């Protein structure tokens, strides 16, 4: 597919503007009031109404239950009653949504301990006070603020020996923790090997060593990535042999100087596209070695994206990866992306991942009482369940960018996926960097700080780091995930813990995602929509005038050449 510029006429733009009238301007969560705007199989009501009252949310495809008569259980939510959970990476995108969902849907939890390190001049306690104020907890803060008191800060750092824990905190965790969610990791693809290994591999070993000593431990969930085995086109739900022995790898990381490790990183990396997938692969092997001593499972999400429904439809709080690309498509600053549009992309909404983590912890504890020690792996992916091609995802994103423009739009949205690197670089130079430098010149003239060239370079780097995943396709087997989904659906609370994207309508999801980027990242509320539409119409007119001028100039040059040739 080639994603074309959809701005073909002013009338088309006006037609798209009228379609936006169905948006419920007063809903706190950017949800749509019209049923057809909601993903198929999901509730047609927003999760929060106009008075901020929680709504029921049976996240299930009705077809899943047609003709099925299964015994209903009631053990998922009760499993968490009176338990204490320990969460690493709690301040990250996935970690925040996980903690919010645990507090809201598993309110019987006694305590959630979160590991927080000092950062940017702030102590762990200071960061914790800021963390509690985050917008992801707004619903809890408004309706059940007492639940936030269950979060307890544990000062520490997974990159430090013994996790940097005080002895009293270590004993507290050993005595009281029942469930561990190890979410912490560096997700920067261009991270140096020493940094990636210290956090992703060595840090995980420290967490597992702590878990071995926990007296009441019932379940440990390790978050990996679906791309931990990028050289395999078909990825089963098993732990594959890593490129090197994890213990020898850790010894190497701990003994050799950091600059030496980074210098030989490319050789150690082998066929892996970056240090992230390498360290995740090694770490999975390390985790598997603890399976005889701990009740373990591994959850492998693919590309984690904005929420389908929880805590709010389209919720997102960062510009990493595909989110940043979608944001810049909406602003019109991206014209070319290196990507094989024929491939099936694999993205998974953050709330689906969190539901999977919660359900996986429950099932791991259940299995540990009845089975021999083993490790279950869940490929938390969408491609084989309800896949979408890159070209279709791009087309919908493009349409949403025009239908729901942001007031920060700078150029008419319009981009193409390309596999020809020379053409891509040429377009990137002419349509990305040239306008960026021109905008910076104007900003200098106006006395403001130039930033557009810096932004263009940043997103060029982000696109290059993700290029490997946009140019290849994988088949992720989901047998374990499907079985987990079946068990969840058989539970009384199963409607609140949907573990896959069955029945998800991509078009409505992507629209909510783009609106989420608009609101939560760009801080652009819906009341500016009319202003944004008018701005986009002006940009469209300017674009057409420039195109007309270019055509007239080419015509003039050709006419002059013909006249000169005749003379």
């Amino acid at each position: 597919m080639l994603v074309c510029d959809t701005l073909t006429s002013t009338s088309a733009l006006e037609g798209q503007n009228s379609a936006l009238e169905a948006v419920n301007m007063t809903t706190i969560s950017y949800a749509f009031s019209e049923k057809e705007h909601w993903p198929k199989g999901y509730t047609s009501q927003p999760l929060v109404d106009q008075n901020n009252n929680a709504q029921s949310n049976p996240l299930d495809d009705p077809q899943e239950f047609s003709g099925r008569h299964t015994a209903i259980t009631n053990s998922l939510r009760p499993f968490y009653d009176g338990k204490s959970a320990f969460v690493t990476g709690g301040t990250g995108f996935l970690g925040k949504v996980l903690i919010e969902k645990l507090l809201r849907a598993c309110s019987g939890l006694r305590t959630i301990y979160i590991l927080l390190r000092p950062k940017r001049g702030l102590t762990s306690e200071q960061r914790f006070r800021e963390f509690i104020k985050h917008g992801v907890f707004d619903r809890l803060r408004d309706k059940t603020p007492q639940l936030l008191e269950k979060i307890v800060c544990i000062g520490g750092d997974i990159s430090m020996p013994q996790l940097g824990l005080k002895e009293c905190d270590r004993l507290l965790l050993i005595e009281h923790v029942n469930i561990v969610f190890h979410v912490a990791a560096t997700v920067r693809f261009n991270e140096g090997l020493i940094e990636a290994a210290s956090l992703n591999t060595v840090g995980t070993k420290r967490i597992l060593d702590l878990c071995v000593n926990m007296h009441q431990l019932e379940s440990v969930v390790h978050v990996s990535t679906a791309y931990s085995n990028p050289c395999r086109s078909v990825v089963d739900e098993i732990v594959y042999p890593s490129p090197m022995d994890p213990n020898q790898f850790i010894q190497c990381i701990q003994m050799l100087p950091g600059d030496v490790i980074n210098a030989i990183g490319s050789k150690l990396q082998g066929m892996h596209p970056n240090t992230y997938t390498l360290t995740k692969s090694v770490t999975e092997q390390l985790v598997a070695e603890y399976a005889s001593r701990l009740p373990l499972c591994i959850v492998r999400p693919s590309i984690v994206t904005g929420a389908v429904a929880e805590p709010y439809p389209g919720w997102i709080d960062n510009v990493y990866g595909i989110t940043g690309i979608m944001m810049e498509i909406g602003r019109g600053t991206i014209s070319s992306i290196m990507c094989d549009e024929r491939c099936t992309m694999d993205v998974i909404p953050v709330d689906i991942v969190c539901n999977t983590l919660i359900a996986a912890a429950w099932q791991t504890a259940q299995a540990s009482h009845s089975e021999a020690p083993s490790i279950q792996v869940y490929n938390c992916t969408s491609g084989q369940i309800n896949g979408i091609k890159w070209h279709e995802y791009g087309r919908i994103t493009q349409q949403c960018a025009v239908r729901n423009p942001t007031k920060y739009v700078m150029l008419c949205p319009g981009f193409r996926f390309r596999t020809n690197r020379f053409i891509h670089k040429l377009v990137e130079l002419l349509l990305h960097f040239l306008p960026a430098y021109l905008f910076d010149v104007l900003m200098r003239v106006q006395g403001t700080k130039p930033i557009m060239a810096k932004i263009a370079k940043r997103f060029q780097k982000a696109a290059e780091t993700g290029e490997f995943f946009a140019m290849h396709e994988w088949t992720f087997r989901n047998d374990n995930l499907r079985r987990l989904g079946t068990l969840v659906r058989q539970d009384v609370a199963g409607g609140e813990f949907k573990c896959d994207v069955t029945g998800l309508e991509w078009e409505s999801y992507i629209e909510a995602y783009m609106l989420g980027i608009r609101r939560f990242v760009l801080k652009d509320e819906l009341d500016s929509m009319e202003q944004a539409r008018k701005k986009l119409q002006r940009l469209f007119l300017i674009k057409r005038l420039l195109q007309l001028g270019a055509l007239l100039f080419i015509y003039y040059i050709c006419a002059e050449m013909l006249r000169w040739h005749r003379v």
Side-chain angles (χ1 to χ4, degrees), residues 80-85 102 106-112 150 179:
Y80 286 91
D81 290 347
K83 303 281 176 45
S84 293
L102 283 170
C106 304
S107 56
L109 265 171
R110 185 174 62 213
T111 309
I112 299 179
K150 295 185 177 186
I179 307 152

Side-chain angles (χ1 to χ4, degrees), residues 445-482:
V445 170
Q446 294 174 352
T448 56
K449 185 178 178 181
I451 59 171
M452 294 308 300
K454 183 178 180 181
I455 291 175
K457 290 177 182 176
R458 186 178 69 192
F459 280 100
Q460 178 196 40
K461 192 172 185 179
E464 287 176 350
T465 57
E467 186 179 302
F468 176 85
F469 306 97
M471 296 291 287
H472 296 83
E473 181 177 294
W474 290 266
T475 298
F476 298 109
R477 304 294 189 196
N478 298 103
D479 294 342
N480 291 343
L481 183 71
R482 291 173 191 269

Side-chain angles (χ1 to χ4, degrees), residues 338 419-427:
M338 281 292 292
T419 55
N420 186 305
R421 189 172 301 279
F422 174 77
I423 298 297
H424 168 71
K425 288 295 181 183
L426 183 62
V427 173

Side-chain angles (χ1 to χ4, degrees), residues 165-176 210 215:
L165 294 173
K166 297 177 182 176
E167 182 61 19
C168 59
D169 288 336
R170 190 183 74 84
L171 292 174
L172 177 70
L173 296 175
I174 287 174
E175 291 293 333
H176 296 289
L210 177 67
H215 299 164

Side-chain angles (χ1 to χ4, degrees), residues 204-252:
T204 298
K205 179 172 172 48
R206 290 169 179 148
I207 291 292
L208 294 173
D209 287 339
L210 177 67
C211 290
V212 167
N213 294 310
M214 290 180 176
H215 299 164
Q216 303 183 60
L217 187 66
E218 296 184 40
S219 185
V220 181
V221 181
H222 171 69
V223 180
S224 184
T225 173
Y227 302 102
S228 57
N229 300 280
C231 302
R232 298 177 182 272
S233 59
V234 178
V235 180
D236 285 300
E237 292 175 304
I238 61 173
V239 176
Y240 291 95
S242 63
M244 59 196 78
D245 179 79
N247 294 299
Q248 292 180 357
F249 179 68
I250 289 174
Q251 288 180 0
C252 181

